[in-house]
Amino acid sequence: MAGYVGILVSDPWLQNQFTQVELRSLKSHYHAIRRESGPLTLSDLTSKMSKLKVIGENLSEDETESVIRRSYQNVDDEVDFELFLRVYLKLHAHATTKMDTPARNSSAFLKAATTTLLHTISQSEKASYVSHINNYLGQDKFLKQYLPMDPSTNDLFEIAKDGILLCKLINVAVPGTIDERAINMKALLNPWERIENHTLCLNSAKAIGCTVVNIGTQDIMEGRRHLVLGLVAQIIKIQLLADLNLKKTPQLVELVDNSEDVEELMSLPPEKILLRWMNFQLKKAGYKKIVTNFSSDIKDGEAYAHLLNLLAPEHSNPMTLTVKDHLERAKLVLEHADKMGCKRYLTAKDIVEGSQNLNLAFVAHIFQHRNGLSTQTKQISFLDTLPDDAQVSREERAFRFWLNSLGNSTYIDNIFEDVRNGWILLEALDKASPGIVNWKIANKPPIKMPFKKVENCNQVVKIGKQLKFSLVNIAGNDIVQGNKKLILAYLWQLMRYNMLQLLKNLRFHSHGKEITDADIRDWANSLVRKSGAQTSMLSFRDKSLSDGVFFLELLSAVQPRAVNWSLVTKGENEEEKKMNASYIISIARKLGCSIFLLPEDITEVNQKMILTLTASIMYWSLNQPAEDKTSSSSDSENGTFNYATDDTASESSLE
């Protein structure tokens, strides 16, 4: 059977403008246009390209037509995929030059025509992250044969090629995310085993909050340095900021005065909490300035000097504040940090140059090591008055990570705060149902006037009703006001609609008809029954699902070699059920399912999350080429199998 080689185009220059995820997304869009319109000419692209969000937002159809006519003499020429790519690059370049600022992140991940060729990496960041990995994974039973890595070499990108290191790094950041029983671990992996590990890694990275719409399995296998380093940076950042919340560090309430301020603090992203903590300590130290960022505001090293003198006065050096040279002061700051036992994440040069990522990592490490907050915090009583709904917290987490996986223009740190202007919801709706949003009447952030936010949210509610969401007595202002119950209800219906649309679009199965929850349940039961297993699912709230056996049977039915039954428990007690649930989630992600549930969602039979799990497995299974399905048994006997990679996030990221 042929191996996975990705999407290739004949022109090497054109090939180098895109990652494999970008190529797959564009090819999916190209084929969708061909299915709708048949043979495609350059003149047809005027309206078709305007449906792509970055282009549609910034170029009118007249401008799009003008660019195409200036670039190509005969607009009646038929468009093949390579010409489609070239037109897209031209239009995207024109669109981005019209924008006030370049695209801030991966919502518009296709760069201008030459960007990919010019990607460089920060050697300081690479050295810092390599040191971090050596420190946290150096004693790992499997990886210690490869560690420590030399930060001056490209060892990181070579060792990352089999996916094992990245999977284990994710577990360092958020313990228990990946069941290590699902990782292919041996000295020499074949290409399929590597792809499995990369797919598991990328789907798990999404599930802890990383943005990965611009990286695919092939990019890791090829060792694309800027993409691999970007992923590593996100994983390490999540680890370093993990304690910056009231659940992990209740002493943070010392930063606020009353319960209202506590709620505000809880809504802040971790970086903002870290800044607030730093300024809180600097005020106590008598530092007069306010630090607003981890770059320009700390270049002179004065803030660091005051902070460390307060937290560890026993190691203070009077020269740190009297020395005039910023580089010398930075060196003294790092000497002070070393004496405290704080690991260096940066050099003195990184401080004076204002390296955002490394300064943030340094401050986060200082916080972890010695935060200077009182252990006698009477304010912790504030926390007793705040709602503690584990179910709401898990749902918020799942919806937040799902929205972030779509590659929207803004990274979401807090669902209830970040959707209140309506823009993110409009973007998600446009991904789920391309073309349904009227962008001409939408108000783009930053939005200062409250009525503009209401206008966006009114359109969100109107579209929801158009899509037959249950929205009784819900108005746009409810979203603007941050009504948690209504926001969660809307997001669940949007997530469910998106899943059902993905299944409906597999026309060879659905023939265009609507897919229902019952169809998903019946599909799963039918497949398990045909495999010879005795388990079944009465509904998505069937309590017998808590032991995980049905889903293991389902995964085994869609891919016979997916489950190692010697690792499966009987699910007779809570510990065994949780072990099975953890294994199920990792195996599903390893196949290519983009899912955001936790083991508790399976053991407690959370109806919503059980539906998303089943639908994701169904989508993956039905999306496999027919030849793969017919030959899976014989291939598994030979120890090989051709896996499709996960494109569920990237397929819609260009819409």
Side-chain angles (χ1 to χ4, degrees):
M1 179 181 295
Y4 175 78
V5 294
I7 294 174
L8 301 176
V9 295
S10 61
D11 183 346
W13 177 87
L14 189 60
Q15 179 89 38
N16 282 328
Q17 305 314 301
F18 308 97
T19 67
Q20 279 296 313
V21 168
E22 295 165 353
L23 285 170
R24 290 197 296 274
S25 295
L26 279 170
K27 193 157 193 177
S28 175
H29 193 79
Y30 172 74
H31 286 312
I33 296 174
R34 290 290 301 267
R35 284 196 299 269
E36 291 174 8
S37 309
L40 193 63
T41 65
L42 284 166
S43 60
D44 297 328
L45 291 183
T46 298
S47 59
K48 303 300 182 186
M49 287 295 198
S50 294
K51 291 183 179 179
L52 293 172
K53 187 168 176 289
V54 177
I55 294 172
E57 277 185 2
N58 297 285
L59 296 179
S60 67
E61 288 196 12
D62 288 343
E63 289 172 317
T64 300
E65 183 179 13
S66 175
V67 171
I68 292 174
R69 288 189 178 276
R70 286 201 311 270
S71 304
Y72 302 96
Q73 290 184 347
N74 188 357
V75 294
D76 293 324
D77 284 348
E78 188 168 340
V79 177
D80 60 13
F81 180 55
E82 292 196 15
L83 182 54
F84 180 82
L85 293 177
R86 295 179 190 280
V87 173
Y88 189 89
L89 285 173
K90 288 181 182 294
L91 292 173
H92 193 277
H94 280 80
T96 52
T97 56
K98 285 193 64 179
M99 297 166 69
D100 292 334
T101 57
R104 284 176 293 177
N105 63 13
S106 57
S107 65
F109 59 75
L110 288 181
K111 297 89 179 168
T114 59
T115 318
T116 307
L117 295 175
L118 301 176
H119 273 303
T120 58
I121 63 171
S122 163
Q123 294 299 323
S124 290
E125 287 191 23
K126 184 185 75 169
S128 176
Y129 300 150
V130 166
S131 176
H132 179 95
I133 292 168
N134 287 339
N135 185 47
Y136 282 92
L137 288 172
Q139 298 306 311
D140 180 86
K141 289 182 180 179
F142 181 84
L143 290 175
K144 64 183 181 181
Q145 60 185 309
Y146 305 109
L147 303 181
M149 295 178 284
D150 182 348
S152 66
T153 69
N154 285 324
D155 285 356
L156 171 62
F157 311 112
E158 290 301 315
I159 295 173
K161 285 182 178 180
D162 65 10
I164 299 171
L165 182 143
L166 295 175
C167 285
K168 286 181 175 283
L169 187 61
I170 287 171
N171 273 352
V172 169
V174 184
T177 299
I178 296 176
D179 190 320
E180 292 206 1
R181 294 174 295 174
I183 304 174
N184 297 320
M185 279 193 286
K186 57 184 182 181
L188 187 62
L189 299 177
N190 65 42
W192 320 124
E193 291 167 329
R194 287 188 175 197
I195 290 174
E196 285 181 322
N197 281 349
H198 297 325
T199 306
L200 173 59
C201 162
L202 292 176
N203 281 320
S204 300
K206 281 191 287 186
I208 65 170
C210 295
T211 301
V212 299
V213 293
N214 63 339
I215 182 171
T217 59
Q218 191 72 5
D219 298 312
I220 302 175
M221 290 183 72
E222 292 173 358
R224 290 205 176 201
R225 298 188 305 161
H226 66 287
L227 294 175
V228 173
L229 196 67
L231 178 59
V232 168
Q234 289 187 75
I235 297 169
I236 291 176
K237 180 180 175 183
I238 287 169
Q239 177 194 346
L240 293 175
L241 299 179
D243 291 342
L244 281 151
N245 59 73
L246 289 172
K247 186 175 181 181
K248 292 281 188 70
T249 312
Q251 293 84 3
L252 282 166
V253 295
E254 191 178 342
L255 306 185
V256 299
D257 296 322
N258 55 56
S259 57
E260 287 185 7
D261 290 338
V262 171
E263 290 202 56
E264 179 194 349
L265 185 69
M266 291 173 67
S267 71
L268 293 176
E271 299 96 311
K272 297 292 186 184
I273 296 177
L274 189 62
L275 274 175
R276 181 174 287 199
W277 166 79
M278 188 174 184
N279 283 307
F280 174 80
Q281 301 293 5
L282 289 173
K283 185 177 180 181
K284 287 201 298 184
Y287 188 64
K288 303 300 183 184
K289 300 176 184 177
I290 301 294
V291 176
T292 62
N293 57 63
F294 293 107
S295 181
S296 58
D297 286 1
I298 47 185
K299 282 184 175 182
D300 60 10
E302 287 188 15
Y304 279 143
H306 282 87
L307 179 66
L308 297 184
N309 283 345
L310 177 74
L311 296 177
E314 69 274 20
H315 301 303
S316 61
N317 183 340
M319 288 184 60
T320 308
L321 286 171
T322 58
V323 69
K324 300 298 182 183
D325 184 75
H326 292 176
L327 187 63
E328 287 303 313
R329 180 182 295 132
K331 290 177 181 177
L332 292 172
V333 163
L334 292 179
E335 287 178 11
H336 193 159
D338 272 349
K339 292 175 183 177
M340 288 171 59
C342 284
K343 182 175 174 55
R344 289 188 184 185
Y345 278 85
L346 73 179
T347 64
K349 184 180 177 184
D350 296 323
I351 293 177
V352 298
E353 290 182 352
S355 173
Q356 171 85 12
N357 289 341
L358 296 183
N359 277 297
L360 186 149
F362 183 54
V363 177
H365 193 73
I366 293 171
F367 176 86
Q368 286 182 340
H369 188 77
R370 191 180 297 195
N371 61 40
L373 298 173
S374 172
T375 55
Q376 306 292 325
T377 48
K378 295 179 181 178
Q379 299 100 316
I380 291 179
S381 60
F382 286 152
L383 300 179
D384 298 333
T385 66
L386 299 174
D388 182 23
D389 190 330
Q391 184 69 25
V392 168
S393 176
R394 291 215 304 265
E395 287 192 3
E396 187 273 342
R397 174 190 178 279
F399 297 148
R400 172 162 42 94
F401 290 161
W402 170 67
L403 285 173
N404 282 331
S405 77
L406 299 177
N408 293 317
S409 62
T410 304
Y411 185 85
I412 302 171
D413 287 294
N414 183 298
I415 281 281
F416 306 120
E417 290 297 318
D418 296 345
V419 304
R420 288 172 60 182
N421 64 17
W423 184 261
I424 289 171
L425 293 175
L426 289 173
E427 289 186 315
L429 285 163
D430 199 50
K431 302 284 177 62
S433 183
I436 201 167
V437 175
N438 184 349
W439 291 108
K440 296 188 184 305
I441 64 170
N443 302 294
K444 190 173 184 178
I447 305 172
K448 295 182 179 179
M449 304 299 291
F451 76 90
K452 295 283 188 182
K453 298 179 182 179
V454 174
E455 286 178 354
N456 279 355
C457 292
N458 282 341
Q459 186 178 181
V460 167
V461 172
K462 180 181 177 182
I463 293 172
K465 291 177 179 177
Q466 186 179 333
L467 298 177
K468 298 183 171 56
F469 293 0
S470 176
L471 300 173
V472 180
N473 297 325
I474 295 181
N477 196 51
D478 293 314
I479 299 174
V480 177
Q481 295 301 317
N483 186 311
K484 293 183 179 181
K485 183 178 180 181
L486 297 181
I487 289 172
L488 288 178
Y490 191 97
L491 284 170
W492 162 241
Q493 294 180 84
L494 176 55
M495 187 179 187
R496 177 178 172 276
Y497 174 83
N498 184 64
M499 289 187 305
L500 298 181
Q501 284 301 110
L502 287 172
L503 290 169
K504 178 185 174 182
N505 290 339
L506 296 174
R507 295 184 179 182
F508 65 84
H509 170 76
S510 68
H511 306 292
K513 78 177 184 69
E514 297 297 328
I515 300 291
T516 66
D517 295 2
D519 291 328
I520 298 171
R521 180 202 62 203
D522 293 345
W523 171 85
N525 280 327
S526 173
L527 221 62
V528 170
R529 187 170 57 251
K530 287 178 182 176
S531 73
Q534 302 301 312
T535 56
S536 64
M537 172 170 54
L538 297 177
S539 70
F540 295 111
R541 62 180 72 178
D542 185 345
K543 292 299 181 185
S544 70
L545 299 173
S546 66
D547 64 10
V549 174
F550 175 81
F551 288 109
L552 290 164
E553 297 281 11
L554 178 59
L555 289 166
S556 185
V558 299
Q559 173 39 253
R561 63 182 288 271
V563 177
N564 183 342
W565 286 99
S566 68
L567 303 176
V568 175
T569 75
K570 294 180 180 179
E572 294 178 343
N573 55 50
E574 290 305 312
E575 183 180 352
E576 289 187 348
K577 288 179 179 180
K578 189 166 183 179
M579 287 179 67
N580 282 353
S582 174
Y583 191 48
I584 288 164
I585 292 170
S586 289
I587 290 298
R589 287 176 179 153
K590 183 177 177 179
L591 286 180
C593 299
S594 185
I595 50 178
F596 302 93
L597 73 168
L598 294 170
E600 293 84 352
D601 292 314
I602 296 176
T603 59
E604 297 171 14
V605 193
N606 180 324
Q607 180 183 358
K608 296 175 183 176
M609 295 299 110
I610 292 291
L611 171 58
T612 65
L613 173 62
T614 315
S616 295
I617 296 171
M618 180 179 179
Y619 178 74
W620 179 85
S621 175
L622 298 178
N623 216 16
Q624 301 312 297
E627 61 268 19
D628 283 356
K629 295 179 182 179
T630 57
S631 60
S632 62
S633 296
S634 60
D635 282 339
S636 63
E637 291 171 5
N638 295 326
T640 62
F641 193 80
N642 189 10
Y643 286 96
T645 52
D646 168 43
D647 289 332
T648 53
S650 60
E651 280 173 355
S652 59
S653 56
L654 291 168
E655 303 297 339

